[in-house]
Amino acid sequence: MTGPLPEDQVEEVYRRLSQAMPGRTRGAKGPKGQPDAFRSCISCMLSAQSLDRNTAAAANALFALAKTPQDMLALDESEIAEAIKPCGLYNRKARNIRAFCTALLADRGGVVPDTRQGLMALPGIGRKCADIVLSFTFGKDVIAVDTHVHRVCNRIGLTDAKTADKTAAQLEQRSPRWTLRDGHFWLIQFGKRICTARAPKCETCPVSDMCLSYRAGQKG
Ligand code: SF4
C-alpha cells in the first residue's frame, strides 16, 4: 500500500463523506466558549480509553460535585477518583484533573485558553483534547483526531501516519479549508458506522474505489 492519496482525491473523499454522513454538524451548534471549555477539557481527560457512555456517566457524577476549577480542588483526589470510576484509569485521571485545575488557576486565572499552544501547556491536555476544545467549544476550524478518525484516515489514505498526533498534523496540511468545520463529524461518524475497527463494511463503503487499504486487500 502506498500513500497518502493525492490532493484531488483527498477532496473527493471528503465530498463523498459529507454526502454519506449528513446530520448534526458543529456548524449548526456554534461555539459555546467559557465555562463550557472547562467541562470540555475535563470530559476529554475522562474519555481516554473509555467508552462514550462510561465517559458520560463519569462526567455527570463529577460535575454534580464540582463545576469550576475551584470546586474541583476542594475535592481530594480520592473523592474525584470515586466519582469518575465508570471511565476507568480513575486514579491517574483524578491526579491529572487536580493538576490541570491547579495550573489553570495559577497560570491562566481559571480561564481556558483558546489556542492549541495554550491548551497543550496545561497538564493532561494533549493534541486531541486541545483540538476537540478548539473545535467544539471555541468554534475554530480544526479537525480533531481521535481513535476513529485516526483509523479511518490511514485506511483510506488521507494520511499515512502511525500516531493520532501525526495524523492530525498531516490532516491539517492536506485537508481543503471547506472541510475543516465539519470534517471531524464526517470522519468520526463514518468510522463508527461504516469503517468500524473490527468489521469495516467495505462492500457498501462510498469510498472503497479510492481506499488504499481496500485496494491493497487489507481491510484492517
Ligand atoms: S473500503 Fe473498507 S477499509 Fe476502506 S474506508 Fe471503506 S470501509 Fe474503511
Side-chain angles (χ1 to χ4, degrees):
M1 182 168 57
T2 56
L5 291 170
E7 283 179 18
D8 60 324
Q9 291 187 35
V10 169
E11 183 143 23
E12 178 59 18
V13 167
Y14 274 119
R15 198 170 289 120
R16 292 190 201 176
L17 294 186
S18 69
Q19 289 163 359
M21 298 292 138
R24 191 173 71 95
T25 66
R26 195 204 71 196
K29 293 194 82 185
K32 288 166 277 189
Q34 315 270 352
D36 189 77
F38 175 69
R39 291 176 64 102
S40 294
C41 287
I42 299 291
S43 296
C44 195
M45 293 165 79
L46 295 176
S47 73
Q49 297 179 53
S50 171
L51 296 173
D52 289 351
R53 64 173 179 275
N54 295 337
T55 302
N60 288 339
L62 183 58
F63 293 134
L65 297 177
K67 292 183 172 51
T68 66
Q70 292 90 342
D71 291 348
M72 210 64 82
L73 288 175
L75 302 173
D76 64 33
E77 201 173 297
S78 63
E79 289 174 300
I80 295 175
E82 184 61 32
I84 65 173
K85 256 185 180 170
C87 70
L89 303 175
Y90 43 87
N91 286 324
R92 190 199 310 167
K93 289 177 182 177
R95 226 172 5 257
N96 282 344
I97 286 169
R98 281 188 56 85
F100 168 79
C101 292
T102 300
L104 185 63
L105 286 170
D107 303 340
R108 296 283 178 174
V111 177
V112 177
D114 65 354
T115 64
R116 184 181 289 141
Q117 191 183 19
L119 283 160
M120 289 179 67
L122 293 166
I125 303 293
R127 173 148 187 172
K128 182 190 84 171
C129 284
D131 284 354
I132 284 174
V133 174
L134 289 176
S135 173
F136 293 92
T137 302
F138 293 118
K140 310 258 185 193
D141 287 346
V142 170
I143 297 180
V145 175
D146 67 358
T147 178
H148 299 290
V149 175
H150 173 59
R151 177 182 70 251
V152 164
C153 288
N154 289 288
R155 279 180 177 169
I156 298 174
L158 296 177
T159 56
D160 63 349
K162 296 259 187 271
T163 67
D165 282 1
K166 285 182 181 159
T167 294
Q170 284 191 14
L171 264 193
E172 190 168 41
Q173 287 185 338
R174 309 194 82 237
S175 301
R177 270 210 78 72
W178 66 269
T179 69
L180 298 182
R181 177 153 289 266
D182 294 321
H184 174 85
F185 277 105
W186 303 327
L187 290 163
I188 199 168
Q189 290 305 319
F190 182 69
K192 286 182 176 179
R193 295 185 199 169
I194 295 178
C195 192
T196 56
R198 296 205 177 141
K201 301 178 179 70
C202 301
E203 280 65 36
T204 55
C205 172
V207 296
S208 60
D209 60 315
M210 306 173 78
C211 172
L212 293 180
S213 176
Y214 186 62
R215 282 155 60 191
Q218 302 169 357
K219 298 183 187 177

